Amino acid sequence: MRKIPENIKFGVASAAYQIEGGWNAADKSPSIWDTFCRKPGAILDGTNGEDTCKSYEYYKRDIEMIKFLGVQIYRFSISWPRILPEGFSNKISKVGTEYYNNLINELIANGIEPVVTIYHWDLPQKLQDLGGWANPEIAVWFEDYARVLYELFGDRVKTWITLNEPKQFGVFGYGMSRFAPGLNISGIAEYLVAKNLLLAHARAWHLYDKEFRPSQKGICGLTIATDYREGETDFPEDVITGQEAMDFEVGLYSHPIFSTEGGFPESVIRRIGQKSVEQGYPRSRLPELSKEEIEFIKGTSDFYGFNHYSTRFYTRSTYKEGTFPVPSYEDDIGGVFSLKDYKPAAIIHSTAIPAGMRKALKWVKDNCNDPEILILENGFGDLGGLEDVDRISYLADYINSMLDAIEIDKCNVTMYTVWSLMDNFEWCSGLRIKFGIFEINYDDEERTRRPKSSAFWFRHLVATRTLDHNYKAVRKELLF
Ligand code: BGC
């Protein structure tokens, strides 16, 4: 039995493209995911997010489910092309605005605090046609978009998350073909994106800080995928490889914002610089940040948004040139990884390695100036089923590890959010992989929702604020 500290708020999370559907409702324009899903072979099971959970119609049922859980917060994202069908702020959609107003108002009426992600990967296609995150102008477009949201919803939304998981949309979307837009210009595009997204985020934060915070009195920051990387063995070379993999995975985005000196991490600058020279490039493939840019980005997050799923173990001992495309982000890390003897989950990045949660939280404390940490995602992906005992043990073990980080390492964690409220469109894995604590019946036009065992388990944890390893959740048949 472990008590959960009183200051921790509990929540559940989702994202617009993964749950809303209504992909062409009213004046909404296509996002890069609408386009990407139509590419043959892009989505493993051939599905798409065009209607998915239909939350665009059934958001009230989602709120009933959140109420059932008894959590204080709901983290969701706003679809840029639903609010700004042209991508730019010249035209604000009335229907899109109304949808999010209804959602926010209904949450508040039910005593649930909205935590809003401004960008969870569904860029308007029109902006992609102009280069998307590889075009430096995106920083200005993003600031304009953020302004619209602060103006429309900032009277009621008090926690803003500018960007969800920079690495995932930069590396997987621009450096590889796993995610939209699937550019696959590896070793180049992901680093252009890294610089541009940092500047975009910083602009949105400064805007909030100067023009909106004084009256709206909220907080604004970003959330970074903070999976843990460590050496496969204790040999110094492996230990260093693990640390450098962490610098690439997380530090590339966190160091410019949270460190005292700012800018990209030293190991990332050094490794990409050296490899670029060896590869015959006239300069590093990692763009420079000017002194002004470094200062402008530094300190631009009121909290550390922490998404965490798993750990990977790195070594250089078996790494060979040619293991990965040259140049590429992975080749720049210059190591190979394994899961040691942990049992791989149905989706590998949610493999249960609970000790990594504590290590990652401690890494953030040590490397990011001991920030306030909001855990904005943690969850387990499987192939479905209402008696989801593996999900319950995953969540229990990770919360246990979080409590170690709080009690022993004194990490300042103030929020814990489960990914995800319900099964949804899991990006390139499609509808087949399920992260929900509620099940969705996709065969039913009304997308009936049913709580899995994990929903009952989480509800009990929230109500008692106690992690009880002996508690067995009993599932009851409920329909939402
Ligand atoms: C993303 C979610 C995704 C989840 C599970 C995170 O990378 O923010 O959108 O569904 O992980 O894979």
Side-chain angles (χ1 to χ4, degrees):
M1 295 270 257
R2 285 183 93 169
K3 265 296 187 204
I4 316 271
E6 281 308 313
N7 66 332
I8 297 214
K9 287 184 184 174
F10 284 110
V12 281
S14 71
Y17 188 72
Q18 295 181 274
I19 64 158
E20 283 178 2
W23 76 280
N24 61 355
D27 51 357
K28 179 181 170 291
S29 67
S31 80
I32 55 174
W33 276 92
D34 291 314
T35 310
F36 187 68
C37 288
R38 287 189 198 120
K39 278 194 198 165
I43 309 302
L44 290 175
D45 62 0
T47 57
N48 58 52
E50 289 184 6
D51 58 6
T52 175
C53 310
K54 295 193 179 175
S55 289
Y56 184 67
E57 275 169 78
Y58 299 132
Y59 69 92
K60 284 194 180 161
R61 282 157 52 195
D62 299 347
I63 296 172
E64 286 301 311
M65 286 143 59
I66 301 165
K67 252 173 70 179
F68 169 81
L69 294 171
V71 296
Q72 290 129 293
I73 68 130
Y74 179 43
R75 174 182 173 222
F76 63 92
S77 81
I78 289 182
S79 159
W80 188 336
R82 199 182 291 292
I83 285 287
L84 303 180
E86 298 194 13
F88 302 108
S89 58
N90 58 315
K91 184 178 164 221
I92 301 173
S93 165
K94 281 205 178 66
V95 179
T97 303
E98 196 187 322
Y99 170 67
Y100 292 109
N101 267 332
N102 289 342
L103 172 61
I104 292 166
N105 292 343
E106 185 80 8
L107 283 167
I108 293 174
N110 283 286
I112 302 156
E113 192 184 319
V115 168
V116 176
T117 314
I118 297 177
Y119 183 72
H120 202 128
W121 307 352
D122 46 354
L123 191 74
Q125 180 59 44
K126 185 169 175 180
L127 300 186
Q128 190 62 52
D129 296 342
L130 296 166
W133 290 96
N135 184 337
E137 287 301 309
I138 190 100
V140 183
W141 307 336
F142 184 70
E143 182 185 1
D144 292 342
Y145 165 50
R147 178 188 291 281
V148 170
L149 300 193
Y150 301 151
E151 277 170 356
L152 291 175
F153 311 119
D155 56 335
R156 287 151 293 155
V157 172
K158 300 300 165 193
T159 305
W160 291 102
I161 296 148
T162 56
L163 303 175
N164 179 69
E165 298 190 348
K167 176 208 156 175
Q168 277 57 19
F169 69 85
V171 174
F172 298 157
Y174 288 74
M176 299 180 186
S177 48
R178 270 174 68 179
F179 280 7
L183 232 53
N184 203 18
I185 305 180
S186 65
I188 311 270
E190 61 273 60
Y191 300 128
L192 298 182
V193 170
K195 173 173 176 172
N196 295 338
L197 70 81
L198 284 164
L199 289 165
H201 155 79
R203 272 179 174 266
W205 184 87
H206 282 293
L207 172 69
Y208 189 76
D209 192 49
K210 283 200 193 59
E211 294 187 34
F212 293 90
R213 196 200 301 275
S215 58
Q216 299 186 347
K217 306 205 188 316
I219 51 176
C220 178
L222 86 171
T223 193
I224 300 177
T226 315
D227 274 11
Y228 197 61
R229 270 78 181 105
E230 63 179 84
E232 198 173 66
T233 68
D234 290 341
F235 288 121
E237 219 218 2
D238 278 0
V239 172
I240 291 173
T241 309
Q243 285 164 353
E244 293 190 351
M246 198 62 184
D247 289 341
F248 271 84
E249 179 75 18
V250 184
L252 185 58
Y253 315 96
S254 66
H255 194 273
I257 298 173
F258 295 94
S259 71
T260 311
E261 62 278 20
F264 292 124
E266 179 278 327
S267 71
V268 174
I269 297 175
R270 172 171 41 80
R271 290 193 65 84
I272 303 175
Q274 274 169 6
K275 290 228 173 191
S276 302
V277 171
E278 288 161 21
Q279 291 156 352
Y281 289 91
R283 65 190 68 82
S284 178
R285 289 176 278 102
L286 179 69
E288 275 192 29
L289 291 170
S290 69
K291 276 209 178 78
E292 293 72 34
E293 287 168 338
I294 290 176
E295 286 310 311
F296 185 71
I297 295 168
K298 214 164 58 176
T300 56
S301 197
D302 301 326
F303 52 82
Y304 187 103
F306 178 98
N307 293 5
H308 181 88
Y309 290 88
S310 193
T311 294
R312 282 177 181 176
F313 304 93
Y314 272 78
T315 183
R316 286 199 175 113
S317 60
T318 48
Y319 163 79
K320 287 192 271 324
E321 270 264 334
T323 308
F324 300 109
V326 178
S328 69
Y329 168 85
E330 285 142 314
D331 186 65
D332 290 333
I333 297 175
V336 290
F337 65 83
S338 73
L339 297 174
K340 287 196 172 164
D341 44 8
Y342 290 93
K343 183 179 157 228
I347 187 161
I348 202 145
H349 75 261
S350 76
T351 295
I353 308 180
M357 176 77 138
R358 175 177 171 192
K359 292 178 190 172
L361 287 166
K362 178 77 162 60
W363 186 94
V364 170
K365 179 186 164 104
D366 295 344
N367 289 275
C368 299
N369 271 317
D370 195 6
E372 176 178 355
I373 301 175
L374 311 188
I375 299 179
L376 294 170
E377 279 184 36
N378 177 229
F380 183 73
D382 63 15
L383 298 174
L386 290 165
E387 305 295 342
D388 54 345
V389 286
D390 288 347
R391 177 168 294 105
I392 294 177
S393 54
Y394 175 102
L395 294 174
D397 292 346
Y398 273 69
I399 290 174
N400 194 49
S401 189
M402 169 189 84
L403 293 173
D404 286 344
I406 295 170
E407 289 166 19
I408 306 167
D409 304 326
K410 309 287 172 223
C411 294
N412 182 16
V413 180
T414 58
M415 192 179 282
Y416 176 85
T417 315
V418 169
W419 183 273
S420 179
L421 171 63
M422 57 196 155
D423 296 342
N424 57 54
F425 180 75
E426 178 51 31
W427 308 113
C428 59
S429 302
L431 297 173
R432 184 170 164 268
I433 295 288
K434 329 268 187 191
F435 272 88
I437 58 175
F438 282 78
E439 182 193 74
I440 299 277
N441 181 355
Y442 292 107
D443 295 331
D444 176 358
E445 276 301 305
E446 293 191 1
R447 297 295 188 272
T448 334
R449 291 123 156 88
R450 294 202 284 178
K452 302 181 188 177
S453 297
S454 57
F456 289 91
W457 177 86
F458 192 47
R459 179 179 198 239
H460 181 263
L461 177 110
V462 171
T464 57
R465 300 194 71 84
T466 305
L467 176 64
D468 178 354
H469 289 286
N470 295 319
Y471 173 70
K472 295 268 172 294
V474 181
R475 203 180 62 78
K476 292 189 200 90
E477 201 49 36
L478 286 177
L479 288 185
F480 287 86

